Short mmCIF file of all heavy atoms in Angstrom, two decimals:
data_model
loop_
_atom_site.label_atom_id
_atom_site.label_comp_id
_atom_site.label_asym_id
_atom_site.label_seq_id
_atom_site.Cartn_x
_atom_site.Cartn_y
_atom_site.Cartn_z
N ILE V 1 125.09 77.40 75.81
CA ILE V 1 123.99 78.34 75.57
C ILE V 1 122.70 77.59 75.27
O ILE V 1 121.64 77.93 75.80
CB ILE V 1 124.34 79.30 74.43
CG1 ILE V 1 125.54 80.18 74.81
CG2 ILE V 1 123.14 80.19 74.08
CD1 ILE V 1 126.09 81.01 73.67
N THR V 2 122.79 76.56 74.44
CA THR V 2 121.59 75.78 74.10
C THR V 2 120.98 75.17 75.35
O THR V 2 119.75 75.22 75.54
CB THR V 2 121.93 74.68 73.08
OG1 THR V 2 122.42 75.28 71.88
CG2 THR V 2 120.70 73.84 72.76
N GLY V 3 121.81 74.61 76.22
CA GLY V 3 121.31 74.03 77.46
C GLY V 3 120.62 75.06 78.34
O GLY V 3 119.53 74.82 78.86
N GLY V 4 121.26 76.22 78.50
CA GLY V 4 120.68 77.26 79.34
C GLY V 4 119.38 77.80 78.77
O GLY V 4 118.41 78.04 79.51
N VAL V 5 119.33 77.99 77.47
CA VAL V 5 118.12 78.50 76.83
C VAL V 5 116.98 77.48 76.94
O VAL V 5 115.83 77.85 77.22
CB VAL V 5 118.41 78.84 75.35
CG1 VAL V 5 117.12 79.03 74.56
CG2 VAL V 5 119.28 80.10 75.27
N ARG V 6 117.30 76.21 76.75
CA ARG V 6 116.26 75.17 76.89
C ARG V 6 115.78 75.07 78.33
O ARG V 6 114.60 74.77 78.59
CB ARG V 6 116.80 73.84 76.39
CG ARG V 6 116.94 73.79 74.87
CD ARG V 6 117.51 72.47 74.39
NE ARG V 6 117.56 72.45 72.92
CZ ARG V 6 118.13 71.47 72.21
NH1 ARG V 6 118.71 70.45 72.84
NH2 ARG V 6 118.13 71.52 70.90
N TYR V 7 116.67 75.32 79.27
CA TYR V 7 116.27 75.32 80.69
C TYR V 7 115.30 76.47 80.96
O TYR V 7 114.29 76.29 81.65
CB TYR V 7 117.51 75.42 81.56
CG TYR V 7 117.27 75.16 83.03
CD1 TYR V 7 116.34 74.22 83.44
CD2 TYR V 7 118.00 75.83 83.99
CE1 TYR V 7 116.14 73.95 84.80
CE2 TYR V 7 117.81 75.58 85.34
CZ TYR V 7 116.87 74.64 85.74
OH TYR V 7 116.68 74.40 87.08
N LEU V 8 115.60 77.63 80.40
CA LEU V 8 114.67 78.77 80.54
C LEU V 8 113.31 78.43 79.93
O LEU V 8 112.27 78.77 80.50
CB LEU V 8 115.26 80.01 79.86
CG LEU V 8 116.38 80.75 80.59
CD1 LEU V 8 116.96 81.83 79.68
CD2 LEU V 8 115.87 81.36 81.89
N LYS V 9 113.33 77.78 78.77
CA LYS V 9 112.07 77.40 78.11
C LYS V 9 111.28 76.44 78.99
O LYS V 9 110.04 76.58 79.15
CB LYS V 9 112.39 76.76 76.76
CG LYS V 9 111.16 76.44 75.92
CD LYS V 9 111.58 75.94 74.55
CE LYS V 9 110.36 75.71 73.65
NZ LYS V 9 110.78 75.29 72.29
N TYR V 10 111.96 75.48 79.56
CA TYR V 10 111.31 74.52 80.46
C TYR V 10 110.72 75.22 81.68
O TYR V 10 109.57 74.96 82.07
CB TYR V 10 112.32 73.46 80.90
CG TYR V 10 111.89 72.66 82.10
CD1 TYR V 10 110.91 71.68 81.99
CD2 TYR V 10 112.46 72.92 83.35
CE1 TYR V 10 110.51 70.95 83.10
CE2 TYR V 10 112.05 72.20 84.47
CZ TYR V 10 111.07 71.22 84.34
OH TYR V 10 110.67 70.52 85.45
N LEU V 11 111.48 76.12 82.28
CA LEU V 11 111.02 76.82 83.49
C LEU V 11 109.84 77.74 83.18
O LEU V 11 108.91 77.87 84.00
CB LEU V 11 112.16 77.61 84.11
CG LEU V 11 113.32 76.78 84.69
CD1 LEU V 11 114.45 77.67 85.14
CD2 LEU V 11 112.82 75.90 85.85
N ARG V 12 109.84 78.36 82.01
CA ARG V 12 108.70 79.22 81.64
C ARG V 12 107.44 78.39 81.51
O ARG V 12 106.35 78.82 81.92
CB ARG V 12 108.98 79.97 80.35
CG ARG V 12 110.05 81.05 80.47
CD ARG V 12 109.88 82.16 79.47
NE ARG V 12 108.74 83.01 79.78
CZ ARG V 12 108.54 84.21 79.26
NH1 ARG V 12 109.42 84.71 78.40
NH2 ARG V 12 107.50 84.93 79.59
N ALA V 13 107.55 77.20 80.96
CA ALA V 13 106.38 76.32 80.85
C ALA V 13 105.96 75.83 82.23
O ALA V 13 104.76 75.77 82.55
CB ALA V 13 106.70 75.14 79.94
N LEU V 14 106.93 75.51 83.06
CA LEU V 14 106.66 74.98 84.40
C LEU V 14 105.91 76.00 85.26
O LEU V 14 104.98 75.63 86.00
CB LEU V 14 107.98 74.59 85.09
CG LEU V 14 107.88 74.02 86.50
CD1 LEU V 14 107.12 72.70 86.49
CD2 LEU V 14 109.28 73.84 87.09
N TYR V 15 106.30 77.27 85.16
CA TYR V 15 105.73 78.32 86.01
C TYR V 15 104.75 79.22 85.27
O TYR V 15 104.44 80.32 85.75
CB TYR V 15 106.85 79.14 86.65
CG TYR V 15 107.74 78.31 87.54
CD1 TYR V 15 109.09 78.11 87.22
CD2 TYR V 15 107.25 77.70 88.69
CE1 TYR V 15 109.90 77.34 88.02
CE2 TYR V 15 108.06 76.92 89.50
CZ TYR V 15 109.39 76.75 89.15
OH TYR V 15 110.20 75.97 89.96
N GLY V 16 104.26 78.76 84.15
CA GLY V 16 103.24 79.51 83.45
C GLY V 16 103.67 80.90 83.00
O GLY V 16 102.84 81.81 82.92
N GLY V 17 104.97 81.06 82.72
CA GLY V 17 105.46 82.34 82.24
C GLY V 17 105.76 83.36 83.32
O GLY V 17 106.14 84.50 83.01
N ASP V 18 105.64 83.01 84.60
CA ASP V 18 105.93 83.94 85.70
C ASP V 18 107.45 84.14 85.78
O ASP V 18 108.19 83.27 86.24
CB ASP V 18 105.40 83.37 87.01
CG ASP V 18 105.56 84.33 88.20
OD1 ASP V 18 106.56 85.06 88.25
OD2 ASP V 18 104.66 84.34 89.06
N LEU V 19 107.91 85.30 85.33
CA LEU V 19 109.36 85.54 85.24
C LEU V 19 110.05 85.51 86.58
O LEU V 19 111.20 85.07 86.68
CB LEU V 19 109.63 86.87 84.54
CG LEU V 19 109.44 86.91 83.03
CD1 LEU V 19 109.86 88.27 82.48
CD2 LEU V 19 110.25 85.81 82.35
N HIS V 20 109.39 85.99 87.63
CA HIS V 20 110.02 85.96 88.95
C HIS V 20 110.32 84.52 89.37
O HIS V 20 111.41 84.21 89.88
CB HIS V 20 109.13 86.64 89.98
CG HIS V 20 109.09 88.12 89.86
ND1 HIS V 20 108.20 88.77 89.05
CD2 HIS V 20 109.86 89.09 90.43
CE1 HIS V 20 108.41 90.07 89.13
NE2 HIS V 20 109.40 90.29 89.95
N LEU V 21 109.37 83.62 89.14
CA LEU V 21 109.59 82.22 89.51
C LEU V 21 110.59 81.55 88.57
O LEU V 21 111.41 80.74 89.01
CB LEU V 21 108.26 81.46 89.49
CG LEU V 21 107.22 81.91 90.52
CD1 LEU V 21 105.98 81.03 90.44
CD2 LEU V 21 107.78 81.91 91.93
N VAL V 22 110.52 81.88 87.29
CA VAL V 22 111.49 81.34 86.33
C VAL V 22 112.91 81.69 86.75
O VAL V 22 113.79 80.82 86.81
CB VAL V 22 111.20 81.89 84.92
CG1 VAL V 22 112.36 81.56 83.96
CG2 VAL V 22 109.90 81.32 84.37
N LEU V 23 113.14 82.95 87.06
CA LEU V 23 114.49 83.40 87.42
C LEU V 23 114.90 82.87 88.79
O LEU V 23 116.07 82.55 89.01
CB LEU V 23 114.55 84.92 87.38
CG LEU V 23 114.32 85.52 85.98
CD1 LEU V 23 114.25 87.05 86.06
CD2 LEU V 23 115.41 85.08 85.01
N ALA V 24 113.96 82.80 89.71
CA ALA V 24 114.27 82.24 91.03
C ALA V 24 114.72 80.79 90.89
O ALA V 24 115.69 80.36 91.52
CB ALA V 24 113.05 82.33 91.94
N ALA V 25 114.03 80.03 90.05
CA ALA V 25 114.39 78.62 89.85
C ALA V 25 115.71 78.49 89.10
O ALA V 25 116.51 77.58 89.40
CB ALA V 25 113.28 77.91 89.08
N TYR V 26 115.96 79.37 88.14
CA TYR V 26 117.23 79.32 87.41
C TYR V 26 118.39 79.56 88.37
O TYR V 26 119.45 78.92 88.27
CB TYR V 26 117.25 80.36 86.29
CG TYR V 26 118.33 80.11 85.26
CD1 TYR V 26 118.03 79.46 84.06
CD2 TYR V 26 119.64 80.51 85.47
CE1 TYR V 26 119.02 79.21 83.12
CE2 TYR V 26 120.63 80.27 84.54
CZ TYR V 26 120.33 79.62 83.36
OH TYR V 26 121.31 79.37 82.43
N ASN V 27 118.19 80.46 89.32
CA ASN V 27 119.26 80.81 90.26
C ASN V 27 119.36 79.84 91.43
O ASN V 27 120.46 79.40 91.78
CB ASN V 27 119.04 82.22 90.77
CG ASN V 27 120.07 82.63 91.82
OD1 ASN V 27 119.77 82.59 93.01
ND2 ASN V 27 121.26 83.00 91.38
N ALA V 28 118.24 79.54 92.07
CA ALA V 28 118.27 78.77 93.32
C ALA V 28 117.81 77.34 93.16
O ALA V 28 117.99 76.53 94.07
CB ALA V 28 117.40 79.47 94.37
N GLY V 29 117.21 77.02 92.02
CA GLY V 29 116.73 75.67 91.78
C GLY V 29 115.23 75.54 92.01
O GLY V 29 114.68 76.19 92.91
N PRO V 30 114.56 74.71 91.21
CA PRO V 30 113.12 74.51 91.38
C PRO V 30 112.75 73.97 92.75
O PRO V 30 111.66 74.24 93.26
CB PRO V 30 112.78 73.49 90.28
CG PRO V 30 113.84 73.70 89.24
CD PRO V 30 115.08 74.02 90.02
N GLY V 31 113.67 73.23 93.37
CA GLY V 31 113.41 72.70 94.71
C GLY V 31 113.20 73.80 95.72
O GLY V 31 112.32 73.71 96.60
N ALA V 32 113.99 74.87 95.63
CA ALA V 32 113.85 75.99 96.56
C ALA V 32 112.54 76.72 96.32
O ALA V 32 111.87 77.16 97.27
CB ALA V 32 115.03 76.95 96.40
N VAL V 33 112.15 76.87 95.05
CA VAL V 33 110.88 77.52 94.74
C VAL V 33 109.72 76.70 95.29
O VAL V 33 108.76 77.25 95.85
CB VAL V 33 110.73 77.73 93.22
CG1 VAL V 33 109.35 78.26 92.87
CG2 VAL V 33 111.81 78.68 92.71
N ALA V 34 109.79 75.38 95.15
CA ALA V 34 108.74 74.51 95.68
C ALA V 34 108.70 74.57 97.21
O ALA V 34 107.63 74.64 97.82
CB ALA V 34 108.96 73.07 95.22
N LYS V 35 109.86 74.59 97.82
CA LYS V 35 109.95 74.62 99.29
C LYS V 35 109.28 75.86 99.87
O LYS V 35 108.56 75.77 100.87
CB LYS V 35 111.42 74.57 99.72
CG LYS V 35 111.63 74.67 101.22
CD LYS V 35 113.11 74.61 101.56
CE LYS V 35 113.35 74.75 103.06
NZ LYS V 35 114.80 74.67 103.38
N TYR V 36 109.53 77.01 99.25
CA TYR V 36 108.98 78.27 99.77
C TYR V 36 107.68 78.68 99.07
O TYR V 36 107.14 79.74 99.36
CB TYR V 36 110.03 79.37 99.65
CG TYR V 36 111.18 79.17 100.60
CD1 TYR V 36 112.39 78.61 100.16
CD2 TYR V 36 111.08 79.50 101.94
CE1 TYR V 36 113.45 78.40 101.03
CE2 TYR V 36 112.13 79.30 102.82
CZ TYR V 36 113.31 78.75 102.36
OH TYR V 36 114.35 78.55 103.23
#
C-alpha cells in the first residue's frame, strides 16, 4: 500500500494533478502516456 500510494503521489506531481493522466500512467505506465 505504501508503495502504491507513493507512486500516486509521484504521478500527481509529475502530471500537475491531472487525474486522467495520473490514472492512465498508473494503469498503462508513464511511457505510454508520453508516447501518446
Side-chain angles (χ1 to χ4, degrees):
I1 296 171
T2 299
V5 165
R6 288 178 177 173
Y7 191 35
L8 284 172
K9 185 174 184 177
Y10 164 75
L11 294 174
R12 291 207 72 164
L14 180 64
Y15 298 115
D18 185 324
L19 284 184
H20 287 89
L21 296 183
V22 169
L23 296 174
Y26 196 98
N27 176 260
V33 173
K35 177 180 179 179
Y36 290 100

